[in-house]
């Protein structure tokens, strides 16, 4: 049973527009959430995080929103750039890291 | 400051052979995680280790797979009698602690295992 879900396997967005990647979780004990980005043939790299005591964290073009009551978080990328094309993994921490299955983002020029 | 080092990057094994994958965590990190990524799939948790301890191995297949993280040296993921279905990318990540605020896991480049 997946504790961290990313229901959209893929997403295509036009360059310059907003990309919104979604993530849902089931374990209310998760207290820290992260987004990772992965290019082919490379390991995932950390992108941005948010603790369960916050509802928003922003870093440049990237903003993560957390809705604890809905057990939902999202990553907003604005404006989207072709170099953002990658697989994005949502992760949550309770004891150790639990990753979602990933969403493949394609930013079209 | 070297990141998480995995070796080899590519490993080819014949069916029935053993595969040993190594992971050296970042300096100061005592928590190691192994994940497997099958083609066109996401990261599947395999095992979570601290030095000399297995914390959670709920993602490890019951047979042929084992992992260790000794007091000295790298973490080893060992696959005995490999089969074609073991072909995948295996990623290792390390963190300074197992949870709490501001804990990020840092990943290695992965080992791509091909069983022929």
């Amino acid at each position: 049973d997946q504790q961290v879900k990313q229901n959209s396997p893929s997403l295509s967005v036009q360059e310059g527009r907003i990309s919104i990647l979604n993530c849902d979780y089931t374990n209310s004990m998760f207290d820290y959430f992260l987004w990772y980005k992965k290019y082919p043939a490379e390991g995932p790299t950390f992108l941005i995080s948010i603790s369960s005591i916050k509802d928003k964290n922003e870093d440049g073009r990237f903003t993560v929103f957390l809705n604890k009551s809905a057990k939902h978080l999202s990553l907003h990328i604005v404006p989207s750039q072709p170099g953002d094309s990658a697989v994005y993994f949502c992760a949550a921490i309770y004891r150790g890291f639990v990753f979602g299955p990933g969403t493949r983002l394609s930013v079209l020029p | 400051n070297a990141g998480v080092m995995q070796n080899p990057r590519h490993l080819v094994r014949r069916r029935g052979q053993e595969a040993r994958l190594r992971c050296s965590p970042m300096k100061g990190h005592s928590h190691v995680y192994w994940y497997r990524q099958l083609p066109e799939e996401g990261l599947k948790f395999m095992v979570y280790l601290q030095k000399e301890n297995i914390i959670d191995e709920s993602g490890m297949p019951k047979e042929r797979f084992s992992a260790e993280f000794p007091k000295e040296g790298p973490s080893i993921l060992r696959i005995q009698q490999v089969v074609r279905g073991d072909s995948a990318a295996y990623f290792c990540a390390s963190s300074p602690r197992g949870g709490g605020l501001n804990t990020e896991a840092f990943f290695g480049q992965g080992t791509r295992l091909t069983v022929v």
Side-chain angles (χ1 to χ4, degrees), chain A residues 2 31-32 34 36 38 41-46 49 51-53 89 93-102 104, chain B residues 9 33 35 37 40-45 48 91 95 97-110 112:
Chain A
Q2 276 192 329
D31 56 7
Y32 196 62
L34 310 93
Y36 283 80
K38 184 181 183 302
E42 293 185 13
T45 54
F46 169 73
S49 61
S51 79
S52 59
I53 59 174
F89 293 97
I93 298 179
Y94 171 42
R95 292 182 189 138
F97 291 77
V98 180
F99 283 82
R104 183 178 301 277
Chain B
R9 288 293 308 274
Y33 312 82
Y35 295 86
Q37 185 178 30
E40 304 303 320
E41 293 189 15
L43 293 169
K44 302 284 189 192
F45 168 77
Y48 164 30
F91 291 97
S95 68
R97 49 190 174 275
L101 302 184
N102 302 315
T103 300
E104 288 98 37
F106 295 86
F107 280 83
Q109 297 282 1
R112 189 164 299 278

Side-chain angles (χ1 to χ4, degrees), chain A residues 16-46:
Chain A
R17 307 294 291 267
I18 184 170
S19 295
I20 301 177
L21 297 101
N22 293 303
C23 177
D24 297 287
Y25 61 95
T26 57
N27 189 345
S28 57
M29 298 300 291
F30 289 140
D31 56 7
Y32 196 62
F33 303 89
L34 310 93
W35 284 93
Y36 283 80
K37 177 178 174 179
K38 184 181 183 302
Y39 293 117
E42 293 185 13
T45 54
F46 169 73

Side-chain angles (χ1 to χ4, degrees), chain B residues 18-71:
Chain B
E18 178 180 286
R20 279 186 176 237
L21 290 67
R22 292 175 184 75
C23 169
S24 296
M26 285 183 70
K27 189 176 180 180
H29 287 193
S30 58
H31 297 250
V32 164
Y33 312 82
W34 285 93
Y35 295 86
R36 174 164 66 175
Q37 185 178 30
L38 295 168
E40 304 303 320
E41 293 189 15
L43 293 169
K44 302 284 189 192
F45 168 77
M46 298 184 75
V47 62
Y48 164 30
L49 310 108
Q50 275 184 273
K51 280 204 182 281
E52 300 183 281
N53 279 313
I54 297 175
I55 306 301
D56 182 354
E57 57 181 347
S58 58
M60 288 272 275
K62 293 286 184 278
E63 297 176 352
R64 302 189 297 107
F65 284 73
S66 62
E68 62 176 9
F69 187 15
K71 189 177 178 182

